[in-house]
């Protein structure tokens, strides 16, 4: 007999090269353009806020996993993604402690309480944003919009749209690039940068085209139907960030192809209903959170047709 | 003769690893000094050894007597003396009753062996008898007795035979070489099988990365209008029976059914070539093509090897190991079985010996499912592997069954694609085994 030290394992014996960490790293790469625009327009404090979020999120994850005597999985980069996304959802003059509290809430309550990575039923960054919005509404909204050349705060484009104050409305092109004046939270100002990142994720096969496409189309069609400019609705507010980076969160969105379409349709509808008829100027985050809750149900009713199983199975009574 | 195209939904594109052996000419293995022939090399009841220690056996002599209908005889692959009839390690991981023969190097043929004659002189019954007596089983790896496959139950209507030349398993090129070098034999074998089942149509499905094979077979078919070649999209598991049937005929095998329920019988190209070989020479199945490859092998190549030759001997003929192997696999990397040792014999279903280095063999630790849904999008049966595996790990057998776990073909695409390196197909296998055991208990 020979003394080979052979590994025994069940097939398959080869695996795709990607990993959870590589997927998360790609998401971060996709977020870089938007982060760069934020740094360019808002200055260093924007980057600092995002960094505070990242550090708080990663630290919280490590501490909780240590306390629960579980393997510390901060090297999967998922807490970093959550941190960056939460940072993107903060207004530029948010105090540092708001970033910390939001990150702790996102990781401790929304993610780890439900079992950690992949088990959270809501998008942690969005749930944290909703939590901050409910707890410190003035800090989260009133100062959300600062023109780059001025320290005077004004309403966001969507608030202008809602109030009917169209004279102060920035041009659609400005809304699209986000470079010429600032209209919103740190990460949502440049639709172009987010689009570039989003397309990168689709190209890399990390997210499917279904959720972003259907989400944006629903918003556009809804806008046309009520006689508003569909482009303005797509490029302003959080829709671009939401469609590519929030609604596509694996854990809290459906896995079935049909389910993803229904989910995105729901997100688009609720976003527009809140924008046009609700109390808030923007409804992107609430729409996604609401659809997150419906995800298990959607998955259940949109199962694929299984190979060799007839569509309508008639049980023969014995 | 125009080549048609086909494919299926789902599947993966693993690195193919066929380059190292596809272009290397086919080799004939050395005459073995010793062979170990297990009495179980097919799906179905194992054989009973019909020879004793010390007895002299001829090449091609029957040494294992089949038990029951789903079983085939086993023959000596050399002439020489039986030195042991005992339990030996088997590439399935089990230990199996085996006949060990020390070759005299003369290859003296069993005297009763003679050619069966031409196809015209044979009828369906005599063809099936010939196939049974030659010990022919599915050579793609499943090793289902071929005479059983060709015996279609009277309540099913079969209208065509499909030959599987997809060879979608990465690394393996045995069928690729066979199709290039023995195209005529494959076509003859297909015609024999068509006569046995009494059908008019025959198809040969080949992945489109094997252009030379498609060319050779197209030439071998000539202008026979009843035979057609399908060039199939190169994608794993294109060669899985159900996916092959769908790609070529557009039909689906009903859940829990057999290919015959979709009106077809599927056979590997190697099986067809063996049928033709046995008919024209009278020889039973005693050798086969296999690919010995992997980054731990010095000279990867496809060889013709006799049944019963040890893996180690094949590896030595390929120049041995160039670096310490971490894993030795019988078959391909997607569905092959990892081996405890290299002193196991080549059996009828051994399509390859894959030796991977330590670095390749590393088993990653699974992490949390991130619900990316990739397993669901690659599953060729359109199941939800993430959910099935989760049910399995919680022993929820009933939920597994309700979600059609028994339809899983265990191709491993889900485990391959999982970024969290979860062992999805293993969990599914555990559940399937449990469910089968419970069903048996229930009866």
């Amino acid at each position: 007999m020979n003394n080979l030290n052979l590994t025994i394992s069940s097939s398959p014996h080869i695996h795709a090269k990607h990993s959870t960490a590589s997927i998360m790293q790609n998401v971060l790469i996709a977020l870089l353009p938007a982060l760069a625009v934020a740094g360019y327009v808002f200055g260093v404090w924007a980057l600092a806020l995002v960094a505070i979020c990242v550090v708080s999120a990663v630290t919280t994850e490590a501490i909780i996993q240590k306390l629960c005597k579980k393997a510390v999985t901060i090297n999967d980069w998922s807490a970093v993604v959550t941190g960056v996304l939460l940072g993107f959802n903060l207004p530029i003059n948010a105090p540092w402690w708001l970033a910390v509290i939001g990150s702790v809430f996102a990781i401790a309550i929304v993610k780890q309480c439900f079992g950690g990575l992949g088990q959270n039923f809501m998008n942690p960054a969005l749930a944290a944003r909703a939590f901050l919005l409910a707890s410190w509404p003035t800090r989260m909204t009133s100062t959300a919009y600062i023109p780059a050349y001025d320290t005077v705060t004004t309403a966001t484009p969507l608030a202008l749209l809602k109030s009917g104050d169209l004279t102060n409305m920035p041009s659609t092109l400005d809304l699209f690039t986000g470079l010429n004046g600032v209209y919103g939270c740190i990460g949502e100002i440049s639709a172009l940068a987010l689009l570039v990142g989003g397309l990168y994720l689709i190209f890399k096969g990390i997210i499917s085209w279904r959720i972003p496409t259907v989400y944006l189309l629903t918003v556009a069609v809804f806008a046309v139907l009520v006689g508003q400019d569909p482009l303005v609705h797509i490029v302003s507010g959080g829709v671009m960030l939401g469609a590519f980076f929030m609604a596509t969160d694996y854990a809290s969105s459906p896995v079935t192809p049909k389910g993803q379409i229904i989910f995105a349709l729901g997100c688009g509808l609720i976003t527009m209903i809140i924008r046009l008829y609700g109390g808030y100027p923007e409804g992107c985050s609430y729409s996604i959170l609401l659809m997150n809750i419906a995800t298990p149900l959607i998955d259940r009713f949109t199962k694929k047709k299984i190979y060799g199983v007839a569509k309508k199975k008639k049980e023969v009574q014995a | 003769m125009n080549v048609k195209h086909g494919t299926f939904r789902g599947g993966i594109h693993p690195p193919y690893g066929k380059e190292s052996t596809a272009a290397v000419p086919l080799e004939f293995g050395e005459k073995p000094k010793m062979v170990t022939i297990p009495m179980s090399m097919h799906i179905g009841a194992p054989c009973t050894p019909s020879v004793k220690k010390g007895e002299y056996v001829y090449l091609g002599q029957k040494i294992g007597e089949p038990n029951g209908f789903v079983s085939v005889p086993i023959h000596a692959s050399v002439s020489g003396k039986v030195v042991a009839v005992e339990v030996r390690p088997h590439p399935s991981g089990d230990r199996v009753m085996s006949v060990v023969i020390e070759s005299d190097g003369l290859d003296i043929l069993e005297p009763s062996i003679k050619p069966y004659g031409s196809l015209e002189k044979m009828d369906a019954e005599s063809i099936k008898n010939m196939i049974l007596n030659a010990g022919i089983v599915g050579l793609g790896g499943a090793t289902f007795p071929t005479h059983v496959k060709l015996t279609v139950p009277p309540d099913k209507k079969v209208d065509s035979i499909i030959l599987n030349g997809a060879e979608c398993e990465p690394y393996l090129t045995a069928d690729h070489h066979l199709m290039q070098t023995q195209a005529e034999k494959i076509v003859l074998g297909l015609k024999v099988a068509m006569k046995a089942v009494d059908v008019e149509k025959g198809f040969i499905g080949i992945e489109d990365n094997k252009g030379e094979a498609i060319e050779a077979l197209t030439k071998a078919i000539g202008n026979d209008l009843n035979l057609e070649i399908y060039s199939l999209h190169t994608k794993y598991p294109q060669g899985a029976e159900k996916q092959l049937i769908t790609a070529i005929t557009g039909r689906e095998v009903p859940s829990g059914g057999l290919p015959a329920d979709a009106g077809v019988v599927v056979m590997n190209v190697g099986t067809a070539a063996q049928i033709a070989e046995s008919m024209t020479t009278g020889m039973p199945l005693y050798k086969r093509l296999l690919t010995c490859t992997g980054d731990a092998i010095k000279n990867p190549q496809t060889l013709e090897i006799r049944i019963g030759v040890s893996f180690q001997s094949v590896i030595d003929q390929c120049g041995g190991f160039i670096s310490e192997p971490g894993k030795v696999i019988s078959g391909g990397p997607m569905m092959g079985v990892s081996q405890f040792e290299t002193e196991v014999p080549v059996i009828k279903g051994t399509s390859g010996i894959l030796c991977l280095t330590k670095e390749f063999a590393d088993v990653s630790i699974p992490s949390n499912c991130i619900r990316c849904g990739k397993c669901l999008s690659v599953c060729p049966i359109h199941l939800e592997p993430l959910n099935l595996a989760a049910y399995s790990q919680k022993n929820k057998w009933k939920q597994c069954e309700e979600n059609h776990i028994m339809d899983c073909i265990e191709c491993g695409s889900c485990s391959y694609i999982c970024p969290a390196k979860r062992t999805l197909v293993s969990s599914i296998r555990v559940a399937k085994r449990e469910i089968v055991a419970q069903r048996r208990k229930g009866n």
Side-chain angles (χ1 to χ4, degrees), chain A residues 1-21 23-24 73 115-119 204-207 250-257 260 295-296 299 302-309 313, chain B residues 14 242 246 251-255 312 321 325-329 333-336 338-343 358 361 363 367-374 376-377 381-384 403-404 412 415-417 419-421 425-426 429:
Chain A
M1 289 293 131
N2 41 39
N3 300 318
L4 293 171
N5 188 10
L6 298 177
T7 304
I8 304 295
S9 68
S10 181
S11 65
H13 305 285
I14 50 172
H15 298 274
K17 282 208 177 70
H18 61 204
S19 64
T20 303
I23 288 176
M24 296 301 166
T73 58
L117 183 63
Q119 304 288 317
K204 283 287 227 174
I206 286 166
I207 60 171
Y250 288 151
S252 54
S253 67
V255 288
T256 62
Q260 290 174 348
T295 292
D299 263 345
T302 53
K303 288 185 185 299
K304 281 180 162 180
K305 184 211 159 292
I306 294 170
Y307 180 101
V309 176
K313 205 176 157 194
Chain B
K242 289 176 176 175
T246 305
R251 300 174 198 162
E252 280 191 6
V253 181
S255 170
Q312 186 59 51
F321 296 120
K327 225 182 216 180
V328 173
I329 297 156
M334 289 304 296
M335 291 187 78
S338 61
Q339 301 294 311
F340 292 94
E341 52 174 317
T342 51
E343 287 301 330
K358 284 256 183 282
V363 181
S367 54
N368 271 12
C369 169
I370 55 172
R371 280 180 46 91
C372 65
K374 290 195 192 312
L376 189 135
S377 61
I381 304 295
H382 315 146
L383 300 170
E384 298 179 350
N403 287 287
H404 295 274
S415 295
Y416 171 85
I417 206 75
K421 314 293 171 202
V425 74
S426 309
R429 277 192 201 116

Side-chain angles (χ1 to χ4, degrees), chain B residues 227-290:
Chain B
L227 305 183
E228 273 181 71
I229 293 193
Y230 268 77
S231 163
L232 307 170
H233 184 48
T234 301
K235 181 166 72 168
Y236 180 86
Q238 183 62 76
E241 206 164 59
K242 289 176 176 175
Q243 280 56 48
L244 185 73
I245 292 170
T246 305
I248 292 180
T249 66
R251 300 174 198 162
E252 280 191 6
V253 181
S255 170
L258 292 168
D261 294 307
V264 293
V265 166
V266 180
M267 265 180 10
N268 187 265
V269 284
T271 316
Q274 182 60 47
I275 291 174
E277 172 83 13
S278 292
M279 189 178 77
T280 49
T281 64
M283 290 299 290
L285 169 54
Y286 75 98
K287 57 184 167 66
R288 65 158 299 140
L289 292 191
L290 65 85

Side-chain angles (χ1 to χ4, degrees), chain B residues 27-32 302-306 317:
Chain B
E27 286 280 338
F28 294 91
E30 294 162 9
K31 271 190 189 175
T302 293
L303 317 95
E304 188 182 88
I305 295 290
R306 297 201 195 185
Q317 289 178 50

Side-chain angles (χ1 to χ4, degrees), chain A residues 194-240:
Chain A
L194 292 164
L195 183 65
V196 168
L199 291 177
Y200 171 80
L201 288 185
I202 293 175
F203 173 74
K204 283 287 227 174
I206 286 166
I207 60 171
S208 137
W209 57 271
R210 291 186 197 92
I211 290 178
T213 314
V214 174
Y215 192 161
L216 295 176
L217 270 179
T218 308
V219 168
V221 169
F222 202 117
V224 170
L225 288 179
V226 296
Q228 296 203 2
D229 187 346
L231 277 178
V232 171
H233 273 282
I234 287 179
V235 297
S236 54
V239 162
M240 209 52 115

Side-chain angles (χ1 to χ4, degrees), chain B residues 11 13 19 24 56 60-61 68 71 82 165 180 185 188 195 206 221 243 256 275 289 301 308 330 344 362 368 432:
Chain B
H13 296 279
E19 311 75 26
V24 180
Y56 183 85
Q61 183 183 332
S71 187
V82 176
Q180 283 181 72
K185 240 188 234 174
L188 176 59
K195 189 162 185 184
I206 308 166
I221 283 176
Q243 280 56 48
I275 291 174
L289 292 191
Q301 57 187 309
S330 165
V344 288
D362 265 351
N368 271 12
K432 283 176 76 176

Side-chain angles (χ1 to χ4, degrees), chain A residues 52-53 56-57 60 86 90 95-110 124 127-129 131-133 135-136 139:
Chain A
I52 292 169
C53 285
S56 317
T60 309
L86 179 62
L90 294 176
W96 65 269
W97 50 265
L98 206 63
V100 174
I101 292 174
S103 307
V104 171
F105 182 84
I107 298 294
I109 307 294
V110 190
R129 176 194 160 104
F131 163 74
L132 294 178
L133 196 60
S135 310
W136 293 275
R139 289 197 183 274

